[in-house]
């Protein structure tokens, strides 16, 4: 929410080519066979931040106190964010089957998403609030 | 240390630009909890001895930004803003929603105490324990929306540079004032997120008088440790489930009020309370929903209710106006109260007042007051710089709002709030204008009238309240009912009222116990803790000063308009009756331990452990 009223989840899109995994110099990142999510091995991670720059949406972020990166692991196939969203009957989030889609397109920086949302909700010139 | 508190408070002196940390003893936190309660205690301890001489807009006043132990845990966290009020000269615990309270607690602080006055405009930026005062010359004079844009950009940039390997920073939370606050307008608010505001009390002016434009906070730590985390989670679910069942609040917020409180309960201010009933179906919630709401649910962190709706005017003369719902108070005070019954015009005015940093209730009230004086030909076109203040003319009211925010000509008088403006214009015109001022002890009355008897406030709710016209802190009996004492609980635990509707009181005390590990029963709270806070607020209100003091015999009363029968609607002819009000008032005085003149007795003060306050009783004057 860089602009009030324009909230959105800024989460891992699980790009089909996994640029973050490729960028890791110590192989701390791997791909879950079950869900396709990126898994972080906290013990191996050296907190270099290269995966952040490799990510087209700059989604990974560093743990504020410890030295390892945080990336959504889809809660091992049972995402808790989806659970609470549905419990509250907002139904904004849902679990979908992984298909053959260009997921990378969904990985976008918060500023980019905000700009598009602003134009959509606040009309032309809405991006100026950013 | 008591659990549920971060344990530290920031103590900032802007005159010397010093930043210290301070703590309060467990006893104080136990007795006063946080938010409104703790604010009362801090103000009494630091300013009580010289209360009458403290200028609310001077450097010695305090600006308090406090959270409570339940902030961040009870769904719908808020922040309490307090200090000596430039409206009532007493203490008001004014709360506003947003992420600020949660960020502050995650940064390791329970609150911020600001004193002094900075030479140049500054803003406070804190990331965990890194606290600094930065120049605000770039944003000084900027409106609300611009301030949010510039400071979000600047602070995210700072975080990005200082922590280059962190990744993308979510925006920090921010409290700020608009141009009205900078210009020390007594109806100015402390705002957050464009449309949220701590309005009652006029603390925007206090913040502006300190040359403090904004406070920006980012916390990366967890919330404070609690006594029983499993129980807290279970209680959070209970509160959320209760809210999910109340579909009405989630879907419309208070947006239905603009029509319902007028049509059904006859308690909506219309043309400065000349009437309280209307049947303008064009002002129904469906019109707002279909034409203006761009986003059906807009809420803050952790809030299951999301009573906010994003209202955007897409076409026409007022294109580009953005605000929340508007909620009922804004719908009423910036709508029918000014003779406006068109949703787009209402959104336009609400958006403008957000930008200027003015309180919709206080400013709507004072503009309605001015318009009625124009109707009665007491104020002329010449007095208003050529402005024709006709009912329903949104653009004229917009011009007037700008005059108020920038204190231009007539705006300078109206910027003093309804009561002071009535005295000032009255003196000029040699008339008693107080009958036109619908306020209680300097604070305009919330948009819930008492004449029809159908709305929630009682006939003494505003007259006897320590927060005066505040419709969220209403004097009522019995003391352990759902009224004033529980509202003090909400404001001291610092969470949103709206998430407590329909939640059994037991759950709220269970929540407090699960978070802090302390025992607290409803009886203890209602008859001891809350009552203690109430006495302190009352004493500081009666001490008043320096420009005005209140005499309970005269001022513990409803505005005279409430004694005039309703002229229209199904409750035509109904009004409050002086004898009934007097009788109820004295029953209330007795219940809270005040004598027949409305002054707290030495007996009740001693009983509540406020022996040191007793001496102050001698200082309360009657003129």
């Amino acid at each position: 929410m860089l602009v009030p009223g324009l909230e959105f989840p800024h989460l891992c899109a699980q790009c089909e080519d996994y640029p973050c995994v490729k960028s890791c110099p110590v192989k701390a990142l791997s791909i879950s066979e079950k869900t396709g999510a990126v898994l972080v091995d906290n013990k191996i991670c050296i907190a270099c931040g290269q995966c952040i720059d490799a990510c087209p949406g700059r989604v990974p972020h560093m743990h504020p106190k410890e030295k390892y990166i945080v990336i959504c692991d889809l809660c091992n196939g049972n995402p808790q964010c989806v659970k609470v969203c549905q419990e509250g009957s907002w139904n904004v989030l849902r679990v979908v089957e992984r298909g053959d889609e260009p997921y990378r397109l969904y990985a976008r920086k918060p500023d980019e998403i905000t700009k598009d949302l602003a134009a959509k909700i606040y009309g032309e010139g809405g991006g100026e609030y950013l | 240390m008591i659990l549920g508190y971060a344990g530290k408070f920031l103590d900032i002196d802007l005159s010397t630009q010093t930043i210290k940390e301070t703590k309060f003893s467990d006893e104080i936190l136990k007795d006063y909890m946080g938010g409104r309660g703790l604010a009362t205690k801090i103000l009494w301890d630091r300013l009580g001895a010289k209360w009458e001489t403290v200028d609310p807009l001077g450097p010695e006043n305090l600006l308090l930004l406090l959270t409570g132990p339940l902030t961040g845990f009870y769904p719908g966290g808020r922040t309490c803003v307090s200090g000596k009020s430039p409206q009532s000269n007493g203490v008001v615990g004014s709360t506003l929603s947003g992420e600020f309270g949660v960020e502050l607690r995650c940064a390791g602080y329970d609150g911020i105490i600001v004193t002094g006055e900075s030479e140049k405009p500054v803003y406070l930026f804190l990331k965990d324990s890194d606290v600094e005062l930065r120049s605000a010359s770039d944003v000084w004079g900027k409106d609300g929306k611009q301030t949010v844009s510039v400071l979000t950009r600047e602070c995210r940039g700072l975080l990005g540079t200082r922590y280059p390997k962190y990744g993308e920073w979510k925006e920090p939370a921010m409290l700020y004032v608009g141009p009205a606050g900078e210009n020390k307008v007594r109806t100015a608010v402390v705002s957050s997120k464009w449309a949220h505001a701590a309005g009652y009390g006029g603390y925007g002016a206090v913040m502006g008088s300190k040359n403090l434009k904004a406070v920006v906070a980012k916390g990366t730590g967890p919330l404070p440790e609690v006594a029983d985390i499993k129980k807290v989670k279970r209680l959070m679910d209970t509160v959320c489930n209760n809210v999910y069942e109340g579909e009405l609040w989630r879907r419309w917020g208070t947006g239905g009020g603009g029509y319902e409180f007028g049509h059904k309960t006859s308690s909506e201010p219309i043309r400065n309370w000349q009437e309280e009933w209307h049947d303008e179906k064009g002002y129904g919630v469906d019109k707002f929903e279909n034409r203006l709401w761009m986003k059906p649910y807009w809420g803050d962190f952790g809030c299951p209710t999301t009573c906010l709706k994003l209202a955007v005017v897409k076409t026409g003369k007022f294109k580009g106006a953005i605000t929340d719902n508007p909620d009922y108070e804004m719908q009423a005070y910036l709508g029918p109260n000014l003779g406006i019954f068109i949703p787009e015009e209402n959104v336009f005015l609400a958006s403008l007042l957000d930008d200027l940093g003015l309180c919709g209730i206080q400013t709507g009230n004072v503009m309605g007051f001015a318009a009625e004086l124009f109707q009665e030909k007491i104020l002329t076109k010449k007095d208003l710089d050529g402005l024709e203040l006709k009912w329903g003319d949104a653009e004229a009211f917009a011009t007037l709002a700008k005059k108020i925010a920038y204190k231009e000509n007539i705006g300078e008088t109206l910027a003093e709030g309804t009561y002071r403006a009535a005295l000032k214009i009255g003196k000029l015109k040699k008339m008693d204008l107080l009958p036109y001022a619908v306020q209680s002890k300097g604070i305009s009355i919330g948009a819930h009238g008492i004449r029809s008897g159908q709305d929630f406030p009682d006939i003494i709710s505003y007259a006897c309240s320590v927060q005066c016209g505040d419709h969220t802190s209403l004097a009522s009996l019995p003391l352990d009912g759902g009224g004033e004492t529980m509202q003090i609980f909400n404001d001291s635990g610092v969470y949103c009222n709206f998430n407590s509707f329909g939640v059994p009181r037991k759950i709220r005390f269970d929540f407090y116990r699960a978070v802090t590990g302390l025992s607290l029963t409803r009886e203890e709270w209602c008859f001891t803790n809350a009552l203690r806070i109430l006495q302190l607020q009352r004493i500081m209100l009666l001490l008043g000063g320096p420009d005005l003091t209140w005499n309970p015999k005269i001022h513990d009363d409803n505005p005279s308009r409430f004694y005039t029968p309703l002229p229209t609607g199904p409750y035509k002819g109904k009004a409050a009756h002086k004898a009934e009000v007097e009788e109820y008032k004295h029953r209330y005085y007795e219940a809270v331990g005040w004598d027949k003149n409305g002054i707290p007795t030495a007996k009740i003060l001693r009983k509540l452990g406020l022996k040191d306050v007793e001496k102050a009783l001698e200082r309360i004057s009657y003129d």
Side-chain angles (χ1 to χ4, degrees):
Chain A
M1 191 217 66
L2 302 178
V3 173
L6 307 179
E7 289 90 358
F8 50 86
H10 181 233
L11 294 173
C12 172
Q14 283 120 38
C15 308
E16 56 282 12
D17 56 347
Y18 295 97
C20 55
V21 178
K22 283 182 196 154
S23 76
C24 182
V26 292
K27 300 209 166 13
L29 304 185
S30 58
I31 303 158
S32 161
E33 277 178 27
K34 188 180 164 195
T35 60
V38 178
L39 305 177
V40 182
D41 191 330
N42 300 349
K43 288 192 195 107
I44 302 177
C45 179
I46 52 168
C48 65
Q50 291 200 28
C51 50
I52 302 172
D53 296 330
C55 174
R58 289 181 64 79
V59 172
H61 68 88
M62 209 59 76
H63 189 283
K65 299 275 184 299
E66 313 291 332
K67 288 218 168 301
Y68 60 83
I69 200 81
V70 181
I71 301 176
C72 169
D73 63 359
L74 284 177
C75 300
N76 200 20
N78 181 22
Q80 296 299 295
C81 53
V82 178
K83 191 169 157 248
V84 291
C85 188
Q86 296 186 347
E87 273 171 6
S89 69
W90 309 109
N91 299 325
V92 175
L93 303 177
R94 63 199 165 99
V95 178
V96 291
E97 289 283 312
R98 192 176 172 89
D100 187 19
E101 284 173 54
Y103 288 99
R104 196 187 168 119
L105 291 178
Y106 295 104
R108 302 176 68 209
K109 293 178 190 135
D111 303 64
E112 293 169 358
I113 305 177
T114 306
K115 220 165 192 172
D116 283 1
L117 258 179
K120 204 168 162 186
I121 293 184
Y122 297 144
E124 60 271 40
E128 280 161 31
Y129 293 119
L130 192 64
Chain B
M1 201 183 93
I2 304 176
L3 293 169
Y5 290 89
K8 291 180 295 182
F9 292 77
L10 275 174
D11 202 338
I12 294 167
D13 186 345
L14 288 175
S15 299
T16 55
Q17 308 263 312
T18 45
I19 300 171
K20 282 188 302 187
E21 281 178 5
T22 185
K23 286 184 179 180
F24 293 101
S25 71
D26 287 0
E27 284 70 41
I28 291 182
L29 295 181
K30 192 169 178 284
D31 286 352
Y32 295 92
M33 202 184 285
R36 173 173 166 187
L38 188 61
T40 313
K41 174 70 177 164
I42 296 173
L43 285 163
W44 179 254
D45 284 353
R46 297 202 181 184
L47 302 177
K50 50 174 179 179
W51 188 261
E52 305 91 310
T53 57
V54 173
D55 177 6
L57 302 177
E60 70 267 69
N61 193 10
L62 302 178
L63 176 74
L64 304 169
L65 310 169
L66 303 175
T67 66
L70 299 185
T71 310
F73 295 115
Y74 196 102
R78 285 173 89 91
T79 310
C80 178
V81 184
S82 195
K84 181 169 179 176
S85 162
Q87 288 168 1
S88 72
N89 293 338
V91 180
V92 176
S94 202
T95 65
L96 81 166
S97 51
E99 285 77 19
F100 185 84
V102 179
E103 291 278 8
L104 192 63
R105 269 156 71 78
C106 287
Y109 299 103
D110 286 312
I112 303 178
I113 304 164
V114 186
T115 181
E117 181 185 323
S118 173
E119 232 172 84
K120 287 185 184 136
V122 287
Y123 75 93
L124 183 75
F125 176 57
L126 67 99
K127 189 255 164 196
D128 299 328
S129 53
D130 301 331
V131 189
E132 59 184 312
L133 287 163
R134 298 178 58 85
S135 164
S137 50
D138 288 355
V139 279
W140 197 253
K142 288 220 172 3
D143 73 23
K145 293 192 178 81
Q146 289 167 340
T147 305
V148 172
S149 301
V150 174
L151 288 184
T152 303
R153 221 179 300 144
E154 189 169 317
C155 294
R156 267 185 92 227
L158 275 176
L159 289 168
T161 329
R162 287 179 192 176
Y163 306 90
K165 284 188 192 169
Y166 179 83
E168 289 290 302
W169 282 91
K170 194 179 181 306
E171 79 296 336
M174 193 188 303
L175 300 183
Y176 59 89
V177 291
E182 295 169 12
N183 297 334
K184 302 178 207 172
V185 173
R186 283 184 205 257
T187 63
V189 293
V190 175
S191 319
S192 77
K193 293 172 82 174
W194 290 3
H196 301 326
Y200 284 119
Y203 295 111
V206 177
M207 196 156 154
S209 74
K210 302 198 171 304
N211 276 333
L212 181 65
K213 177 72 178 175
V215 182
V216 188
K218 185 81 217 168
T220 58
L223 281 166
E225 195 189 333
V226 297
D228 187 344
I229 186 76
K230 273 191 192 151
K231 206 170 167 201
V232 170
K233 282 186 179 170
R234 206 168 56 235
L235 288 164
M236 277 168 107
D237 282 346
T238 312
V239 174
C240 284
N241 287 334
N242 171 73
V243 169
Y244 295 149
E245 278 167 31
E247 191 55 39
L248 185 142
W249 282 104
R250 290 179 79 197
R251 178 142 185 205
W252 291 300
T254 58
Y259 178 70
E260 309 262 311
F261 284 111
H263 181 72
K264 284 194 184 154
T265 60
S266 280
S267 55
E268 183 165 355
I270 295 164
R271 298 180 194 89
N272 198 32
W273 297 90
Q274 294 183 70
E275 293 171 73
E276 293 185 25
W277 175 83
H278 74 83
D279 189 20
E280 295 283 345
K281 294 194 176 64
Y283 209 56
V285 68
D286 50 333
K287 309 297 183 295
F288 283 90
E289 189 175 12
N290 293 341
R291 304 211 301 252
L292 296 157
W293 291 356
M294 285 305 295
K295 190 169 172 172
Y297 301 111
W298 177 23
D300 295 328
F301 170 80
C303 179
T305 306
T306 53
C307 64
L308 299 170
K309 317 292 157 195
L310 200 56
V312 182
V313 182
K314 287 281 209 178
T315 52
K317 207 172 6 172
F318 304 117
K319 185 176 163 179
I322 307 170
T323 188
D324 60 349
N325 306 15
D327 67 313
Y328 166 61
E329 298 290 321
M330 296 305 103
Q331 278 188 356
Y333 261 120
L334 303 176
N337 191 52
L338 307 177
I340 291 167
F341 291 92
I342 298 169
E344 280 79 1
E345 296 185 350
N346 177 239
V347 170
F348 160 67
L349 278 180
S351 169
L352 177 74
L353 263 65
D354 289 344
D355 284 351
L356 295 171
L358 284 168
C359 172
I361 298 178
Q362 307 296 315
T363 318
N365 184 293
V366 77
M367 290 200 294
F369 165 76
E372 196 184 347
L373 294 189
F374 183 75
Q375 170 198 309
E376 298 297 321
K377 301 197 169 57
I378 298 167
L379 277 182
T380 59
K381 215 171 143 179
K382 200 175 143 226
D383 294 323
L384 296 166
D385 317 328
L387 201 62
E388 276 205 62
L389 215 50
K390 283 197 189 130
W391 296 116
D393 186 347
E395 281 170 291
F397 286 109
T399 313
L400 186 65
K402 284 182 203 150
K403 280 185 194 295
I404 293 175
Y406 292 100
K407 287 193 166 175
E408 288 163 9
N409 306 325
I410 184 74
E412 185 163 10
T413 310
L414 298 178
E416 294 290 293
T418 314
Y419 184 78
R420 288 173 175 83
L423 293 183
K424 229 168 154 179
I425 302 172
K427 209 169 160 191
L428 224 72
K429 303 272 174 190
K430 298 190 178 60
M431 302 172 71
D432 177 19
L433 296 182
L434 286 177
Y436 299 99
V438 187
Q439 54 78 42
S440 171
K441 298 187 207 70
I443 297 187
S444 306
I445 278 170
H448 294 275
I450 57 167
R451 280 187 275 186
S452 69
Q454 301 300 307
D455 209 337
F456 63 85
D458 275 337
I459 48 172
I460 58 145
S461 288
Y462 300 115
C464 295
S465 168
V466 287
Q467 304 207 146
C468 320
D470 185 346
H471 72 286
T472 64
S473 177
L474 297 168
S476 58
L477 288 177
L479 283 184
D480 59 347
E484 208 170 16
T485 49
M486 282 316 289
Q487 278 152 351
I488 296 179
F489 185 85
N490 295 352
D491 293 348
S492 301
V494 194
Y495 59 87
C496 187
N497 262 346
F498 280 18
N499 285 330
S500 69
F501 293 158
V503 176
R505 268 166 280 171
K506 186 181 165 296
I507 301 276
R508 294 189 245 170
F509 288 103
D510 281 349
F511 226 117
Y512 176 78
R513 287 190 287 260
V515 168
T516 60
L518 298 171
S519 67
L520 179 70
T521 62
R522 188 171 128 199
E523 283 69 34
E524 275 173 323
W525 176 261
C526 294
F527 294 108
T528 313
N529 297 29
L531 207 53
R532 195 184 288 130
I533 296 165
L534 198 77
Q535 307 297 352
L536 275 181
Q537 277 193 291
R538 176 73 174 178
I539 286 172
M540 285 188 267
L541 180 67
L542 294 183
L543 286 173
D547 65 333
L548 292 171
T549 47
W550 311 110
N551 178 353
K553 276 188 192 156
I554 303 166
H555 298 112
D556 270 8
D557 201 356
N558 289 304
S560 56
R561 182 134 299 168
F562 284 176
Y563 297 111
T564 325
L566 286 174
T568 48
Y571 299 97
K572 187 176 166 182
K574 284 201 84 173
H577 294 288
K578 204 112 193 180
E580 277 173 32
V581 172
E582 283 298 310
E583 188 269 333
Y584 196 167
K585 195 167 97 178
H586 284 100
R587 267 197 293 137
Y588 176 82
Y589 280 0
E590 207 172 306
V592 290
W594 301 346
D595 65 15
K596 63 180 188 344
N597 295 324
I599 316 278
T601 56
K603 194 177 145 206
I604 188 83
L605 295 183
R606 244 173 273 167
K607 194 182 146 207
L608 295 170
L610 293 172
K611 210 161 170 278
D612 57 316
V613 183
E614 233 181 283
K615 267 187 268 161
L617 292 177
E618 296 161 15
R619 281 154 48 201
I620 295 174
S621 63
Y622 288 99
D623 27 68

